[in-house]
Amino acid sequence: MSVVAHSHIIELALEASVIRNQMSPRRHCLFPLEMIERSIKPFLSKIHAGHFRISLSLCSQALLWRSLGEPIADAHSTICHIFHVVPSMAFTLLWSLALLTLALLSFAYVLRCLFHFEMVKSEFLHHVGMNYLFAPWISWLLLLQSCPFIAQKTSPYHVLWWIFVVPVVVLDIKIYGQWFTKGKRFLSTVANPTCQLSVIGNLVGVRAAAQMGWRESAIFMFTLGMTHYLVIFVTLYQRLTGNKGLPVKLRPVFFLFVATPSVASLAWDSISGSFDDLAKMLFFLSLFLFMSLVTRPTLFKKSMRKYNVAWWAYSFPLTALALASVEYAREVKGGFAHALTLVLSSLSIVVSLSLVVVATANTKVHLPAGPPNNDVSSPMP
């Protein structure tokens, strides 16, 4: 037999092997899985913890709507009377939208951990990205507090509280421990406004614990959060040399300066049972910081040129401030206090709705079609 015949036989055998593999049931099962994996990997490579700004906004809005819908006897409360007229179905739809958004983001991030673990690891080591790892747990705690289906002093509520709070405490131990020990990151070098998310995580947990009647747990978390808030606040004011700054497009996160004292006032209100002097002091501090930021529009001018997910950082702090103003107005019972609540709540709702519209019109920013980004060290947007 000639060499040509031998080569022809080998080619036929190879072709038969390829056809057999393509026709095998195992190949037919793996092919769709490979297609699915290839289609979602580019999307998962672009999803990062910063996208939980969206869930923070929607979940806090649900809590604001529930707070405004609670009965109040004061005749000055115009916005509360308006929300009493709004059908309860509107709040249920908003809460359901927040739940769906948070569930989808959480599922996508779990898949990111499976398919792009190196990116998740890089995010944890990033001086901004690591702080947004608190965001999903804050969102779940906010959603739990606004839930219309689970009573606060029931076993399911208690179990969910533990599920959402334990990761916050674990992250506290990891991050706070590196600040005052010989860890890889010192606060003076990595401090930025997003560091306040760790404090907010504790304070949101405080409010839920106090509403369940767990006063000791609430005081423990309040102490942990406020102690580190003082350290972070002073460090950020000092602007020490060698500190890693924020890129221009992340400047909206400066509004977290407003969110932290607002959430702290709500947390202390839930512990003490009334919006007392300490809660008012924290609320006034958040008002001052809010005015300091809104009177400096040039600080945010460059970051507003093109939409990105960092824009959602405006919504949650405004909603937290509006929530604090609602409790303040209920305590003070005056025309000015309720007018302030009306302005802040309306502003919060308008900003949140505007972001939903803008984000819907720019879905390509959230759902990119390009190939995965292999540069895991790239800064988080």
Side-chain angles (χ1 to χ4, degrees):
M1 188 178 295
S2 66
V3 176
V4 175
H6 276 293
S7 62
H8 184 64
I9 293 173
I10 293 173
E11 289 177 2
L12 290 175
L14 289 173
E15 290 178 2
S17 176
V18 170
I19 293 172
R20 193 183 308 114
N21 289 333
Q22 290 178 348
M23 297 298 292
S24 66
R26 183 180 178 184
R27 179 64 182 177
H28 281 293
C29 293
L30 289 177
F31 186 70
L33 293 177
E34 290 177 358
M35 291 295 294
I36 294 172
E37 183 177 338
R38 289 178 183 178
S39 62
I40 65 173
K41 269 193 172 184
F43 169 71
L44 295 177
S45 67
K46 303 296 182 181
I47 288 291
H48 50 76
H51 281 84
F52 284 98
R53 297 183 185 101
I54 301 174
S55 62
L56 279 176
S57 173
L58 295 177
C59 294
S60 59
Q61 271 296 309
L63 186 58
L64 176 63
W65 282 45
R66 175 169 180 169
S67 181
L68 291 173
E70 292 175 354
I72 184 171
D74 198 333
H76 293 94
S77 183
T78 305
I79 192 166
C80 288
H81 291 306
I82 293 174
F83 269 81
H84 290 160
V85 179
V86 176
S88 59
M89 181 60 67
F91 164 70
T92 305
L93 289 175
L94 175 61
W95 189 88
S96 301
L97 174 63
L99 174 62
L100 177 63
T101 304
L102 180 55
L104 290 175
L105 284 173
S106 300
F107 179 68
Y109 201 79
V110 169
L111 292 179
R112 176 182 169 90
C113 294
L114 296 175
F115 291 106
H116 297 290
F117 182 74
E118 288 301 319
M119 288 185 177
V120 176
K121 183 179 178 181
S122 177
E123 194 170 7
F124 182 78
L125 298 176
H126 194 271
H127 67 289
V128 174
M130 67 176 181
N131 296 309
Y132 272 99
L133 296 177
F134 286 92
W137 310 110
I138 297 172
S139 300
W140 282 113
L141 285 167
L142 290 170
L143 199 66
L144 179 64
Q145 292 176 53
S146 62
C147 181
F149 310 113
I150 304 177
Q152 293 172 345
K153 295 185 178 181
T154 59
S155 297
Y157 196 99
H158 297 169
V159 172
L160 290 173
W161 183 86
W162 278 110
I163 292 173
F164 302 147
V165 164
V166 168
V168 173
V169 177
V170 171
L171 286 170
D172 284 343
I173 294 171
K174 177 64 177 178
I175 294 175
Y176 292 163
Q178 290 190 339
W179 289 352
F180 66 87
T181 62
K182 295 180 179 180
K184 296 179 180 179
R185 296 187 293 268
F186 290 99
L187 180 60
S188 58
T189 60
V190 299
N192 64 84
T194 62
C195 292
Q196 296 173 97
L197 283 169
S198 61
V199 177
I200 293 171
N202 287 279
L203 296 176
V204 172
V206 167
R207 192 165 188 261
Q211 290 174 345
M212 291 188 299
W214 294 3
R215 182 178 173 82
E216 297 302 315
S217 299
I219 293 176
F220 166 75
M221 296 194 70
F222 185 84
T223 304
L224 182 64
M226 290 306 295
T227 301
H228 288 92
Y229 173 59
L230 293 174
V231 176
I232 294 170
F233 192 76
V234 172
T235 304
L236 292 174
Y237 253 66
Q238 290 177 333
R239 294 193 178 187
L240 300 174
T241 57
N243 179 265
K244 297 179 180 179
L246 286 173
V248 172
K249 66 179 179 180
L250 288 183
R251 285 182 181 175
V253 303
F254 274 93
F255 270 78
L256 287 173
F257 276 109
V258 178
T260 310
S262 298
V263 178
S265 66
L266 293 169
W268 183 252
D269 171 50
S270 63
I271 292 175
S272 63
S274 64
F275 208 82
D276 59 13
D277 291 343
L278 178 57
K280 291 176 184 177
M281 290 168 63
L282 291 166
F283 173 60
F284 294 150
L285 173 61
S286 62
L287 272 178
F288 168 76
L289 294 171
F290 174 69
M291 294 303 298
S292 299
L293 289 172
V294 298
T295 54
R296 290 169 173 80
T298 54
L299 179 64
F300 309 99
K301 185 177 179 180
K302 292 183 179 179
S303 64
M304 299 298 292
R305 290 177 179 174
K306 184 179 179 181
Y307 171 76
N308 65 82
V309 73
W311 283 21
W312 286 90
Y314 292 118
S315 179
F316 169 65
L318 287 174
T319 307
L321 183 60
L323 279 165
S325 71
V326 172
E327 300 302 325
Y328 173 71
R330 284 175 177 164
E331 181 69 23
V332 175
K333 295 182 176 66
F336 173 77
H338 287 292
L340 184 62
T341 300
L342 176 62
V343 172
L344 292 175
S345 299
S346 301
L347 180 62
S348 170
I349 293 170
V350 169
V351 169
S352 298
L353 288 176
S354 301
L355 284 170
V356 170
V357 173
V358 173
T360 304
N362 293 271
T363 53
K364 290 183 179 180
V365 176
H366 302 288
L367 302 172
N373 179 13
N374 293 323
D375 183 14
V376 297
S377 63
S378 59
M380 193 195 74

